[in-house]
Amino acid sequence: MSFLRYGYITGPIIGAVWIFVLATTVAITMSFATGDPFRPTLWLSLATGAVLGLGAAWELSSRIKAAAIAAVIFVLTLVGFGPMVMETSAFNAVFAAGALAVIGGWSLTKIMEGCPMGALTRHEMEEAWIRFLTGLGYIFFTAIVLVPFYVMVMTSLKSQSALLQNPLDFSLDLDKGWALFRSYQELFADFNFGTYLWTSFYVSVLTVFITLAFSIPGAYAVARLQFKGRAAFSRSILMIYMVPMIVLALPIYIAFSVTGLRNTILGIVLIYPVTTIPVALYMLQGYFRGLPAEVEEAGLMDGLNRLQVIWKITLPLALPALASVSLYVFMIAWNEFLLAFMLLDDPDIFTLTRGIASLNSSEIPREHLMAGAVIATVPVMALFLGLEKFMTKGLTAGSVKG
Amino acid sequence: MSDISAPKGTGPLAKREARLAWSLLFPTIAIVSLVVILPLLAIFWISFKPIGLADLRPVAPVVREDLRNAGDPDQAVRYRLQNRSQDTPIENVIFFDTVPAGATLGELPEVCELSGTALTCTIGTLEPGERLTFLIPVTLEGDLETLEDALEDDTEARATGDADSILTNTEFSLENFARIFDGDEFLTVMWATIFYTVFGTIGALLFGLFAALLLNKSFRGQGILRGLYLFPYVAPVIAVAFTWVNLFDPFSGSANALLVQMGVTTQTINFFGERPLALIMVTVFEIWRYFPLSFLFILARMQSIDTDMYEAADMDGASPFQKFWYLSLPMLLGILSVLFLLRFIWTFNKFDDIFLLTGGNAGTRTLTVNVYEQAFAISNIGAGAAVAVVIFACLLGFSFFFFKFISREEGL
């Protein structure tokens, strides 16, 4: 790769790819925002980028370079001979070209900073490439995460016929005011989503409590007490957590059909904790092991028995871990789909995920389905963002479950 | 003088501790074995039985009762008994009824007995599909309509009988396994499973590694980006799966519209309905949904690497790529291999995602989706259970590998 170690080679290559990536990003963003056609030009943007990349390697003040690059992009784009072509209103055109120009000028100068025209050291070359890849990575990951969620929210606010006409037009008619939320209102009024929300909520909360009630003593025993078969037990917990739900769902379906537990909330509340107990036990025992045993021994010396030690010493110390585990279990129960889908048939006791599954029919407009998806996503996202610290800790603590 | 040595065996304190441990573990063991071990045994049992969804309803005699020729002198109560099963006889069939006040039964058939108001008829065996009808003359005193209601609805006739259930008898066959291993279908399923599992796992790991490298530095907004990149994993699968289906819809999907507008394609693409594109798409979805998890683990490991090492490398003049290749990657190898195996197992187990995206059509039927297809779509529970047994056997293999090679390294 030694041929890359010249500013006049690395510069144009990075510039070409980078300007093409930026043009694509701005075009997609503007298409999604306005519904008008925006399109990156392949060869033209690569060529422009190559020239600009070469220019960015010029030894000049970086402000002047950035301004010059931005000006070139802006003018070329507006005359229709640049990295991006479009058919839209004058205002949108100026805005899009301006955005592309400013971002392009600033970022390209930044990437090529300390990467002069002539021969480069290995460091200079690699750092330029790393800055390029970093920028690419941020754009790529942010786009792939945001686009689906943006489409989900926007589809729920638009009518199906409008989307069939132009699937790219996510612009909102703000004059409609509250009527924008019509599909949400219909879900709550006609499709019982208020009840589903409540059912999902209390099923998840019950699952959390039952899971904790079972897994705390179990985790403590595995973490602290000496007994024969401890290693085997802790391994079998891990094993159980690898058995796929669909394998268990079949006999559970049969057993519940025979005993009449199918189609009852009781059945769901019985089965959900069992799917989460192994995970919770595994996460908690890891945390309990990290607590200093001396504190508990001091408690024992002072005349507490083991159960009192757990209640008065271990649990208060483990509160952050309990919060993480509870959040994680809540998330699993809230998002659970397979069991709810197989075991619940009666629309009166649907959980939220089961309710959304019932919206997936050709007779129900698409925006209802997406509104349902938003309703299911928002609470778990709010919890997640509000308590992100606990959540990430919980996720890393032992959760490799999908 | 006696030798002094440490006490051997288990002392009373140790015994007490073990007892406490087991009593703390007991609830978990009980409930887990009830819901995991028992069903697993049941799966093995069912997989050897030719059993369909309809066989879940127990075979039982059905009895219906009505009043014939009401008001005529030859009015009679009619009982109709039926065995609805087409292949299982029912033995020891008995039916019971209560005669309401105001009604008096006339001559009884031989098999019936009346004591007080309770009528009991002992039938014996009902052959498959057999129907029996009994007419018992009756005299009614009082309002005809009220009595008719009382006879037909208020006192309902009940019937009991013993039938051989396919679920509990000792008839076994290998038919299910023969069916699922038969022919091209099994190869297609295995290919889809392997493709999905291998590429889904590796893809999620690589993208997770890339994302972790991006975020392994502190800058403003790092926390926000980290939270954002976890969205796909935290959101309910049903919400994101339907969004993807929507996004890639051939008629009203934005992705297709975008591709057409950019001039990449002239015709819309049916992303989730064509072979082999559908399989690639579900794998991409898997990568998209689970890269956050690998990213989180790898980032946690990266942040715990000592920075002294990098400073030393800087002094020696190592370039950034060299530092990554010779320092970071070896440090991450442990977590990467653990993640690989665990994600491999979990991707192998994945059901919801493919089920929601394609329903197993267009060459995306993996083993887990096949369980559902066989058991519920084709209503052949036995075949579904047989597929589940195959899955379980694969998992045993994986976990053997896991405990043998990985767990020691990471102290799991």
Side-chain angles (χ1 to χ4, degrees):
Chain A
M1 298 293 258
S2 54
F3 68 94
L4 283 176
R5 275 157 71 169
Y6 294 96
Y8 52 81
I9 292 179
T10 286
I13 297 178
I14 288 182
V17 182
W18 183 246
I19 292 297
F20 177 68
V21 167
L22 278 189
T24 314
T25 312
V26 173
I28 293 178
T29 315
M30 288 305 289
S31 295
F32 274 155
T34 63
D36 293 333
F38 289 79
R39 191 154 55 81
T41 53
L42 180 61
W43 296 112
L44 210 51
S45 68
L46 288 179
T48 321
V51 173
L52 292 176
L54 192 66
W58 216 284
E59 271 161 82
L60 260 176
S61 139
S62 55
R63 276 195 192 166
I64 298 174
K65 266 195 294 189
I69 292 172
V72 171
I73 296 178
F74 187 68
V75 173
L76 281 181
T77 309
L78 276 189
V79 298
F81 199 69
M84 181 172 70
V85 290
M86 52 206 164
E87 293 160 37
T88 181
S89 65
F91 174 77
N92 283 343
V94 171
F95 182 79
L100 182 60
V102 171
I103 299 172
W106 173 74
S107 57
L108 198 54
T109 327
K110 195 98 178 156
I111 289 175
M112 294 302 291
E113 212 167 45
C115 187
M117 189 66 100
L120 304 175
T121 65
R122 187 169 179 165
H123 272 254
E124 284 169 339
M125 187 270 285
E126 284 187 3
E127 263 159 17
W129 277 100
I130 283 176
R131 279 192 297 267
F132 165 74
L133 287 176
T134 310
L136 196 69
Y138 286 135
I139 290 180
F140 174 75
F141 282 110
T142 311
I144 60 165
V145 171
L146 276 188
V147 166
F149 286 98
Y150 176 79
V151 168
M152 178 161 99
V153 173
M154 287 309 183
T155 311
S156 76
L157 299 176
K158 297 200 65 115
S159 77
Q160 185 159 13
S161 51
L163 274 178
L164 267 173
Q165 242 166 25
N166 181 0
L168 280 178
D169 185 8
F170 287 111
S171 58
L172 292 180
D173 188 6
L174 287 177
D175 296 340
K176 276 161 102 183
W178 289 108
L180 278 178
F181 297 96
R182 217 193 69 227
S183 49
Y184 291 89
Q185 188 221 327
E186 276 175 18
L187 280 187
F188 280 106
D190 308 334
F191 290 88
N192 253 331
F193 260 61
T195 332
Y196 300 167
L197 206 58
W198 169 240
T199 311
S200 258
F201 175 75
Y202 77 75
V203 165
S204 306
V205 169
L206 277 176
T207 306
V208 169
F209 281 114
I210 299 173
T211 305
L212 287 183
F214 279 88
S215 57
I216 289 174
Y220 186 84
V222 174
R224 274 280 184 275
L225 303 178
Q226 300 294 330
F227 59 97
K228 262 188 205 139
R230 189 168 79 153
F233 182 82
S234 125
R235 280 193 171 191
S236 39
I237 286 292
L238 214 68
M239 279 283 293
I240 278 169
Y241 153 60
M242 289 175 191
V243 177
M245 210 52 231
I246 183 78
V247 169
L248 301 181
L250 193 58
I252 287 170
Y253 177 89
I254 297 172
F256 275 26
S257 298
V258 173
T259 54
L261 279 171
R262 207 169 91 76
N263 229 341
T264 59
I265 287 291
L266 179 69
I268 287 285
V269 173
L270 280 181
I271 204 74
Y272 274 12
V274 183
T275 65
T276 52
I277 285 174
V279 195
L281 202 154
Y282 186 71
M283 286 163 77
L284 278 177
Q285 59 105 11
Y287 192 84
F288 285 159
R289 253 179 220 170
L291 292 177
E294 290 80 4
V295 192
E296 290 174 17
E297 279 156 15
L300 286 174
M301 294 306 287
D302 287 345
L304 296 177
N305 63 32
R306 276 284 180 184
L307 295 180
Q308 287 170 320
V309 164
I310 297 178
W311 185 248
K312 290 188 173 158
I313 298 175
T314 315
L315 283 189
L317 283 176
L319 269 183
L322 291 183
S324 307
V325 174
S326 309
L327 263 174
Y328 187 60
V329 169
F330 185 90
M331 189 188 95
I332 294 180
W334 181 273
N335 291 352
E336 208 289 327
F337 162 73
L338 172 61
L339 287 170
F341 181 72
M342 286 177 76
L343 298 179
L344 296 180
D345 288 332
D346 174 6
D348 289 340
I349 54 167
F350 276 178
T351 62
L352 203 49
T353 46
R354 181 68 184 89
I356 295 170
S358 72
L359 291 180
N360 184 25
S361 94
S362 52
E363 286 151 33
I364 295 171
R366 196 77 62 70
E367 65 262 26
H368 283 59
L369 183 62
M370 287 297 104
V374 173
I375 295 174
T377 310
V378 165
V380 75
M381 286 297 180
L383 257 186
F384 168 71
L385 288 180
L387 303 164
E388 202 214 321
K389 245 186 208 145
F390 290 119
M391 197 77 167
T392 30
K393 204 185 269 163
L395 287 172
T396 34
S399 61
V400 268
K401 189 182 164 86
Chain B
M1 188 113 185
S2 62
D3 291 328
I4 297 172
S5 63
K8 290 198 184 87
T10 323
L13 266 178
K15 269 187 191 150
R16 220 174 74 187
E17 190 165 311
R19 249 203 322 275
L20 177 70
W22 284 113
S23 61
L24 288 178
L25 285 174
F26 175 74
T28 304
I29 295 175
I31 193 163
V32 166
S33 44
L34 195 70
V35 185
V36 177
I37 314 286
L38 265 186
L40 278 181
L41 294 178
I43 274 283
F44 278 100
W45 180 265
I46 296 167
S47 68
F48 290 102
K49 292 196 160 281
I51 173 178
L53 208 52
D55 296 323
L56 288 188
R57 225 175 293 121
V59 178
V62 184
V63 60
R64 270 171 305 175
E65 140 183 56
D66 61 353
L67 186 64
R68 300 287 292 173
N69 307 328
D72 289 356
D74 60 342
Q75 65 186 357
V77 190
R78 183 175 69 164
Y79 293 100
R80 283 175 299 172
L81 250 93
Q82 190 191 349
N83 176 1
R84 283 192 182 154
S85 163
Q86 292 306 315
D87 40 37
T88 318
I90 308 174
E91 286 160 4
N92 302 329
V93 178
I94 304 175
F95 79 83
F96 311 92
D97 195 21
T98 313
V99 183
T104 319
L105 294 181
E107 191 194 343
L108 295 173
E110 276 175 24
V111 292
C112 294
E113 230 174 72
L114 187 69
S115 69
T117 60
L119 176 74
T120 312
C121 301
T122 316
I123 311 295
T125 304
L126 269 182
E127 293 305 321
E130 188 182 348
R131 296 155 184 270
L132 287 177
T133 308
F134 295 95
L135 273 172
I136 305 176
V138 65
T139 43
L140 302 173
E141 289 163 30
D143 181 34
L144 190 63
E145 227 161 86
T146 332
L147 274 169
E148 192 173 344
D149 281 350
L151 261 177
E152 289 181 359
D153 300 326
D154 294 351
T155 61
E156 269 195 58
R158 288 177 303 112
T160 61
D162 306 329
D164 191 23
S165 165
I166 184 79
L167 264 177
T168 47
N169 68 11
T170 50
E171 185 190 318
F172 295 104
S173 81
L174 285 172
E175 197 186 311
N176 295 322
F177 288 94
R179 183 195 295 257
I180 62 157
F181 283 120
D182 179 38
D184 294 342
E185 198 188 84
F186 185 74
L187 287 181
T188 326
V189 168
M190 276 321 279
W191 162 246
T193 312
I194 292 170
F195 181 92
Y196 180 70
T197 311
V198 170
F199 288 100
T201 310
I202 294 178
L205 272 188
L206 288 183
F207 279 95
L209 181 63
F210 188 19
L213 284 171
L214 289 181
L215 289 185
N216 188 27
K217 51 183 111 175
S218 47
F219 56 92
R220 250 201 330 189
Q222 193 246 19
I224 295 173
L225 277 187
R226 197 181 55 188
L228 183 72
Y229 289 178
L230 288 173
F231 270 25
Y233 177 69
V234 178
V237 57
I238 187 161
V240 286
F242 282 148
T243 307
W244 270 58
V245 171
N246 221 347
L247 186 62
F248 290 99
D249 188 277
F251 305 109
S252 63
S254 316
N256 266 311
L258 207 59
L259 288 180
V260 169
Q261 192 184 91
M262 305 253 165
V264 179
T265 157
T266 48
Q267 270 195 321
T268 56
I269 304 168
N270 191 358
F271 283 99
F272 286 114
E274 272 171 31
R275 281 166 203 256
L277 195 58
L279 185 56
I280 296 174
M281 283 305 290
V282 292
T283 313
V284 169
F285 180 81
E286 164 79 17
I287 296 173
W288 178 79
R289 192 161 143 70
Y290 290 101
F291 88 84
L293 204 69
S294 339
F295 142 71
L296 207 59
F297 278 85
I298 297 171
L299 186 63
R301 182 75 187 88
M302 271 180 181
Q303 286 174 341
S304 69
I305 298 178
D306 206 351
T307 51
D308 292 356
M309 211 168 61
Y310 291 105
E311 283 163 21
D314 278 335
M315 297 301 289
D316 291 342
S319 79
F321 278 114
Q322 282 174 322
K323 276 192 282 185
F324 171 71
W325 192 254
Y326 293 107
L327 294 180
S328 306
L329 215 51
M331 295 298 283
L332 295 176
L333 217 55
I335 187 77
L336 283 177
S337 49
V338 169
L339 267 178
F340 177 80
L341 255 177
L342 284 175
R343 284 307 317 159
F344 190 87
I345 292 173
W346 272 104
T347 313
F348 182 82
N349 287 348
K350 205 72 227 162
F351 167 79
D352 317 27
D353 304 32
I354 295 183
F355 179 70
L356 287 170
L357 288 173
T358 66
N361 296 320
T364 58
R365 196 195 288 182
T366 57
L367 274 174
T368 44
V369 178
N370 206 18
V371 175
Y372 186 88
E373 283 283 314
Q374 300 284 354
F376 294 99
I378 315 180
S379 300
N380 189 341
I381 289 210
V387 181
V389 169
V390 174
I391 293 181
F392 192 70
C394 295
L395 278 178
L396 275 185
F398 295 151
S399 48
F400 170 77
F401 192 75
F402 179 78
F403 283 121
K404 181 115 182 150
F405 296 103
I406 300 298
S407 63
R408 217 167 297 141
E409 183 174 344
E410 284 293 305
L412 284 169

